[in-house]
Amino acid sequence: MESKFTFLPEFYKNLKSLPQGRQKQIIKKIADIANIKDQSIFRHVKPLAIAIERATHRLRVGDYRIFLRVAGNHFEVQNIVQRKDAYK
């Protein structure tokens, strides 16, 4: 299964507002996930119990949550939120 990742402008905006070290950690995690070519990708990308806006899944990176919309093998990275604010 070849996965395709796209990124919304809101994701880039929030990424740039984070400290440099955290940005690198997030980019590395997404790159690692993008290299997974089978269904084991879903060990990292978890479904949300209730959709938040258009997001259907989440990826945990330290104290941050990356919200994604997953449709088949297309992963749309939508936003980065600190864990304490993620589910409000």
Side-chain angles (χ1 to χ4, degrees), residues 6 10 18 35 37-38 42 48-49 52 57-58 68-69 71 75 78 80 85 88:
T6 57
E10 185 175 358
L18 299 176
N35 288 328
K37 303 296 182 200
D38 58 15
F42 291 104
L48 294 170
I52 298 174
H57 289 71
R58 68 160 172 85
L68 306 104
R69 182 176 184 196
F75 294 79
Q78 298 185 340
I80 304 170
D85 300 323
K88 291 181 180 180

Side-chain angles (χ1 to χ4, degrees), residues 26-67:
I26 289 170
I27 291 168
K28 181 182 181 323
K29 180 77 169 203
I30 292 173
D32 290 345
I33 297 279
N35 288 328
I36 298 173
K37 303 296 182 200
D38 58 15
Q39 291 294 322
S40 67
I41 194 169
F42 291 104
R43 288 190 306 184
H44 306 282
V45 178
K46 306 286 184 174
L48 294 170
I50 299 172
I52 298 174
E53 295 180 16
R54 292 181 27 198
T56 58
H57 289 71
R58 68 160 172 85
L59 173 63
R60 189 181 91 187
V61 181
D63 291 337
Y64 291 86
R65 299 298 178 263
I66 300 172
F67 291 111

Side-chain angles (χ1 to χ4, degrees), residues 11-28:
F11 169 78
Y12 288 117
K13 177 183 163 196
N14 290 334
L15 181 66
K16 293 211 180 271
S17 70
L18 299 176
Q20 189 77 21
R22 189 63 69 184
Q23 289 179 25
K24 289 180 181 179
Q25 181 184 20
I26 289 170
I27 291 168
K28 181 182 181 323

